[in-house]
Amino acid sequence: GQQLNQSPQSMFIQEGEDVSMNCTSSSIFNTWLWYKQEPGEGPVLLIALYKAGELTSNGRLTAQFGITRKDSFLNISASIPSDVGIYFCALESSGSARQLTFGSGTQLTVLP
Amino acid sequence: GAGVSQSPSNKVTEKGKDVELRCDPISGHTALYWYRQSLGQGLEFLIYFQGNSAPDKSGLPSDRFSAERTGGSVSTLTIQRTQQEDSAVYLCASSPSSGGAGPQHFGDGTRLSIL
């Protein structure tokens, strides 16, 4: 099966700093998704990317679908305490089921 | 309901017992997915339903795991003769259809602990 590598595994940043995390896959995919998960809750979709090269923003979040279709990054600008959580990239399979394959997650801690 | 609802939120049981986990998808969503999340890990796909049928069961880890969906709505995931390695958070997601018509929305999961 495909390999999905997400980095970094964890980040400790000061409030107000910018953050960047990325994912790479061993195969080409048509859809990249970024989710955030807080303790005791399910993942919540942040941004969906459907075209190679696509750059999409959602408030302070920006994500890009790499030109090679094998990578994506997520940036968070001017971090705030409520940004704390685990961020996952995910790929949608090309089959009819469209099941998701998740990265291992980036644990973000924002220090006051 | 407004979102995907899962019950129970927590389940503690003894090794060897059977457990049933329930998922109520968003009303009108035809596609339903079960995932498993082990401690500190990403989500692992288990099974996919389109309506009441399960065309993709490829993620079920063993024959102790089964799932069904009735009325195109509620789904139950059953684990028989539970083992300690079954301890995880079991998450359910639904989407309007499998054809890319909208992303998957997740419930808050059932945290299963096998003693």
Side-chain angles (χ1 to χ4, degrees), chain A residues 4-67:
Chain A
L4 185 56
N5 296 309
Q6 183 171 352
S7 65
Q9 185 175 7
S10 63
M11 299 184 75
F12 292 81
I13 62 169
Q14 295 291 139
E15 184 176 354
E17 289 184 349
D18 298 345
V19 170
S20 184
M21 58 194 79
N22 68 85
C23 281
T24 58
S25 71
S26 57
S27 304
I28 291 174
F29 286 87
N30 295 323
T31 303
W32 280 94
L33 306 167
W34 285 93
Y35 284 84
K36 179 187 179 186
Q37 186 177 29
E38 298 187 23
E41 299 182 4
V44 174
L45 182 68
L46 299 174
I47 292 179
L49 301 161
Y50 300 105
K51 294 181 182 179
E54 180 180 357
L55 183 71
T56 298
S57 293
N58 178 7
R60 294 178 296 105
L61 277 61
T62 302
Q64 183 158 32
F65 190 157
I67 286 291

Side-chain angles (χ1 to χ4, degrees), chain A residues 9 33 35 37 39-45 48 50 86 88 92 95-105, chain B residues 33 35 37 40-45 48 55-56 58 89 91 98-100 102-109 111:
Chain A
Q9 185 175 7
L33 306 167
Y35 284 84
Q37 186 177 29
E41 299 182 4
V44 174
L45 182 68
Y50 300 105
I86 305 177
F88 291 99
E92 191 178 80
S96 60
R98 302 290 180 122
Q99 73 265 33
L100 301 179
T101 298
F102 282 80
S104 56
Chain B
Y33 304 80
Y35 294 84
Q37 185 175 28
Q41 301 295 315
L43 283 70
E44 170 193 17
F45 168 76
Y48 153 68
D56 191 340
S58 61
V89 177
L91 290 148
S98 66
Q104 295 176 30
H105 298 268
F106 286 83
D108 288 337
R111 183 175 299 276

Side-chain angles (χ1 to χ4, degrees), chain B residues 19-50:
Chain B
V19 294
E20 274 194 1
L21 312 179
R22 176 186 169 105
C23 172
D24 279 282
I26 293 172
S27 178
H29 280 194
T30 59
L32 186 147
Y33 304 80
W34 283 97
Y35 294 84
R36 178 170 71 175
Q37 185 175 28
S38 300
L39 186 64
Q41 301 295 315
L43 283 70
E44 170 193 17
F45 168 76
L46 297 178
I47 188 170
Y48 153 68
F49 284 92
Q50 180 60 33

Side-chain angles (χ1 to χ4, degrees), chain B residues 6-86:
Chain B
Q6 292 187 246
S7 61
S9 55
N10 287 282
K11 177 72 175 178
V12 181
T13 193
E14 293 180 345
K15 175 182 172 181
K17 300 285 188 184
D18 297 352
V19 294
E20 274 194 1
L21 312 179
R22 176 186 169 105
C23 172
D24 279 282
I26 293 172
S27 178
H29 280 194
T30 59
L32 186 147
Y33 304 80
W34 283 97
Y35 294 84
R36 178 170 71 175
Q37 185 175 28
S38 300
L39 186 64
Q41 301 295 315
L43 283 70
E44 170 193 17
F45 168 76
L46 297 178
I47 188 170
Y48 153 68
F49 284 92
Q50 180 60 33
N52 291 335
S53 62
D56 191 340
K57 306 178 183 179
S58 61
L60 295 178
S62 76
D63 59 7
R64 295 187 295 105
F65 287 72
S66 63
E68 65 175 14
R69 188 179 185 194
T70 56
S73 180
V74 171
S75 175
T76 55
L77 176 69
T78 301
I79 309 173
Q80 295 178 310
R81 305 180 303 280
T82 52
Q83 303 294 312
Q84 288 186 331
E85 62 262 28
D86 299 335

